[in-house]
Amino acid sequence: MKYKIDITNSYEKFIDIDGWSGITNYSSLPKIDQRTSTCHMCLENASICMDENIWRDHILSVNPKSIINIADDLLILAHKAIFTIENIRCYDLRVIYKEHDYYHSSGLTFDMKDRFIVFGGDDVEHSDSNIFGRAICNGKIF
């Protein structure tokens, strides 16, 4: 089942980027479309916190028979997901590959009400790499 959940106002609580659940999060290098200022990143094995009614209600509206209906389900595992950030103003990436750091960043541009987002995890394609990123945006986050 596919869901598109708007997490713009709660992204920092929805996806377990920090690993507090004890589950390793995997991510791909983000693909940033300079034309539309949109970032897409594939996540695998991602822990999703389901303790907010707004997230459960959306899933249940799409699939009323979802097993997420159980009140005790506070954390679910997303086998595959696409993390999308719209209208990126600036970003920086850090890739650690075999104990060497590689960096890439865009110019620094932001306004007072922009959002700061942290993302990343172990690299999906290379088991000896880690990806860390930060972005400032003023668009939606899915």
Side-chain angles (χ1 to χ4, degrees):
M1 181 70 50
K2 293 183 180 182
Y3 303 99
K4 184 174 184 179
I5 302 174
D6 184 349
I7 59 172
T8 304
N9 296 317
S10 54
Y11 57 88
E12 67 277 350
K13 295 184 249 174
F14 187 70
I15 301 172
D16 177 24
I17 296 293
D18 297 332
W20 63 264
S21 67
I23 297 172
T24 302
N25 180 41
Y26 293 91
S27 65
S28 66
L29 276 172
K31 292 176 178 57
I32 299 172
D33 185 342
Q34 299 295 337
R35 219 174 13 88
T36 61
S37 300
T38 303
C39 170
H40 300 283
M41 180 186 303
C42 294
L43 301 177
E44 291 187 15
N45 203 41
S47 298
I48 306 294
C49 305
M50 295 303 296
D51 57 353
E52 298 286 333
N53 285 337
I54 190 169
W55 303 324
R56 288 180 185 219
D57 292 346
H58 177 76
I59 287 175
L60 292 173
S61 72
V62 174
N63 181 10
K65 296 180 181 181
S66 174
I67 61 169
I68 297 170
N69 197 9
I70 301 169
D72 295 335
D73 285 340
L74 297 179
L75 186 73
I76 63 171
L77 185 64
H79 179 66
K80 289 189 182 269
I82 297 175
F83 185 56
T84 303
I85 307 168
E86 295 178 344
N87 203 12
I88 288 185
R89 313 267 300 172
C90 58
Y91 63 91
D92 67 65
L93 297 172
R94 175 182 174 209
V95 177
I96 302 171
Y97 175 69
K98 294 185 180 182
E99 300 181 19
H100 295 287
D101 292 0
Y102 299 91
Y103 297 93
H104 176 74
S105 63
S106 68
L108 184 60
T109 305
F110 61 92
D111 290 325
M112 290 295 288
K113 294 189 178 184
D114 289 346
R115 293 176 174 84
F116 176 74
I117 302 165
V118 177
F119 51 85
D122 288 4
D123 192 334
V124 170
E125 297 173 0
H126 304 94
S127 61
D128 51 359
S129 298
N130 299 75
I131 299 168
F132 300 99
R134 297 176 292 195
I136 295 175
C137 77
N138 63 4
K140 298 255 184 205
I141 303 168
F142 300 97

